[in-house]
Amino acid sequence: MSYELMSSSSGGPETFKLSRPVKPGENIDFFMSHSWHDDAKKKWAVLEKHVAQFKKTHKGRSPTFWLDKVCIDQSNISDGLKALPVNVMAC
């Protein structure tokens, strides 16, 4: 997760390559839907605050995110949306 990723108004194969399957025993901590129009600086500041709080309460562990911009192949959105309920249930 980076400011550049969250501030970019595009997605595609390069962003989908950032995703990975959940590891055995790992849980998704946060489900996020990327807004293409919200203020990137404000969004990033709030995200950093939540990550810092999460690390304090989880012994320094970084949270795991499911971010639609990354986890849904933007070149094949319809198939990604079909699997969306499964992904939400994994959170």
Side-chain angles (χ1 to χ4, degrees):
M1 187 82 64
S2 68
Y3 175 78
E4 291 75 23
L5 177 67
M6 297 303 290
S7 63
S8 167
S9 63
S10 63
E14 67 284 352
T15 55
F16 185 62
K17 288 179 184 177
L18 297 171
S19 67
R20 65 167 176 79
V22 176
K23 297 173 185 173
E26 183 179 43
N27 294 312
I28 298 168
D29 299 306
F30 295 101
F31 175 88
M32 292 177 47
S33 181
H34 177 71
S35 169
W36 303 94
H37 305 289
D38 288 343
D39 183 284
K41 289 180 183 178
K42 288 180 183 177
K43 183 170 40 180
W44 186 250
V46 170
L47 185 58
E48 284 185 316
K49 180 180 173 183
H50 283 290
V51 168
Q53 183 62 39
F54 183 91
K55 286 181 172 185
K56 285 181 185 177
T57 59
H58 291 86
K59 301 178 182 178
R61 180 175 73 81
S62 294
T64 303
F65 291 91
W66 188 96
L67 176 61
D68 58 357
K69 178 181 179 177
V70 173
C71 296
I72 294 176
D73 183 354
Q74 299 297 302
S75 64
N76 191 7
I77 293 174
S78 62
D79 281 353
L81 292 177
K82 290 175 188 174
L84 188 59
V86 174
N87 292 308
V88 171
M89 293 298 295
C91 295

